[in-house]
Amino acid sequence: MNKVNNIASNLVSLRNKPRARPSGERPSLVDRKRPFFTGVDRFGINKWATYLGDPFHTLLNLPWWKFIIIFFTTYVLQFCGFAAIFLAFSNDCIKGIDGSFAHALWMSSRTASTLGFNQIYPEVTCVGPNLVVMIQVIVANLVNFIMLGLVFARFSAPFKRANSIQFSSLCTITRHSSGYWALTFRVANIRKHQLLKPEIKVLVTAIDSITPSNYVFEYLDVEAREMQQMNLQLGFPAHVVHVIKPGSPLFNLSLQEMDARMMEVLVFVDGIDAMTSKAMQARRSYQPAEMAMNQQFLDLHLEMRGGKLGLDFGQFDATTCSTGDLLNEYQASPHLRGMNMPEVQHHMHQHPHQCCLLLLPLNSPQVTCSTSTRPPPTCAA
């Protein structure tokens, strides 16, 4: 018994940064690089027709470096195009042009910017160059308005605000006070700007076992949803918990089974930015490789620093071993009981995903697990 108590006291002190298994090339329904994009690609369509048919949204969603290239290219083409037209007029109609493209380009840029002419100017008695000047002024204003609108829309896009909604790097699976397993993750608004009417939605997706080409999804109940949404509105992190009890689509599933069905948990946080009154949505997906078994998040505490009340987000992703679950595993496994304490600690740190991962109620028969990776982990009740 003393040895068990010593193991328990040492397990309490075990704390490690989350280390999720690499997800490899497994696809996701949420684009990890750009969470505001869907992870489902489009095949069998004419993409160029789609992009050119809606140039406004195409330009809004381009990467910044591509947009900047298009931005400068548009103005250069405008200046050069009208410079070529001015070059076609004789020196009698445009004074000082002298058949030089450089002079024509100078006049085109001065016309577009409405700065006025100097040594090079159109003769007032010639209708042609004066008509071209009028057309270029109109075109230049139209281009300016379009580009100004695009730049403003890109800077004010709500998905940029959504990037300030931070999700924990993994979710944990640990025992709930009810005796069932519980899936838990964190989400927080890391900016001081208030998020109005936040709403948290969690759902699980999987490949349909009947029609493998289709995905099915089901919403997951969130414990104390209103309280966690109010935490987000008040600036506190939301501790989102789904209790895996009978009726839950995750009940009685192992992580291996979830991975085989390509299941993932999708999280959507909707809200309204208090400054711009724009609706926004942040997204995150958790695959089985990002679910830490027998881990629980460290508590975040309010503290005073320099006369300011705040939270230290340095421990936002930090987890610690769930002592009760690990102690039960230690007591049930002859293999672990034969180890000394450093070996047990190494096992708990390095192999948290190789123990039995059945999501069973706590009052179910005791489960013992093989920690060998070859063959795959097997469980016996």
Side-chain angles (χ1 to χ4, degrees), residues 330-341:
Y330 174 80
Q331 293 173 321
S333 174
H335 173 69
L336 290 181
R337 287 203 302 269
M339 295 180 180
N340 56 31
M341 188 60 209

Side-chain angles (χ1 to χ4, degrees), residues 192-262:
K192 292 188 66 176
H193 300 135
Q194 190 178 18
L195 183 66
L196 303 178
K197 297 182 179 180
E199 183 179 0
I200 301 173
K201 292 180 287 188
V202 184
L203 58 96
V204 61
T205 66
I207 292 180
D208 192 349
S209 58
I210 300 177
T211 309
S213 60
N214 294 333
Y215 267 85
V216 294
F217 69 91
E218 188 171 345
Y219 283 96
L220 300 180
D221 294 330
V222 175
E223 185 179 55
R225 185 192 303 267
E226 292 77 12
M227 180 184 298
Q228 302 308 323
Q229 292 175 166
M230 184 54 64
N231 280 342
L232 277 180
Q233 186 162 347
L234 294 176
F236 296 106
H239 199 72
V240 183
V241 178
H242 168 68
V243 181
I244 306 173
K245 56 187 178 181
S248 168
L250 302 180
F251 184 73
N252 211 29
L253 286 179
S254 69
L255 294 185
Q256 290 91 338
E257 290 172 325
M258 293 174 63
D259 195 47
R261 291 190 60 188
M262 297 182 66

Side-chain angles (χ1 to χ4, degrees), residues 136-152:
Q136 185 176 8
V137 170
I138 296 173
V139 171
N141 285 331
L142 181 62
V143 171
N144 289 339
F145 296 152
I146 292 175
M147 289 302 173
L148 178 62
L150 286 171
V151 171
F152 175 79

Side-chain angles (χ1 to χ4, degrees), residues 24 29 43 52 62 77 144 170 183 284 299 348 380:
L29 296 181
F43 305 123
L52 297 178
L62 280 177
L77 289 178
N144 289 339
L170 52 73
L183 183 144
R284 181 67 159 87
D299 293 332
M348 298 307 182

Side-chain angles (χ1 to χ4, degrees), residues 29-40:
L29 296 181
V30 174
D31 192 324
R32 295 301 184 91
K33 295 181 179 179
R34 295 182 293 179
F36 44 89
F37 276 60
T38 176
V40 181

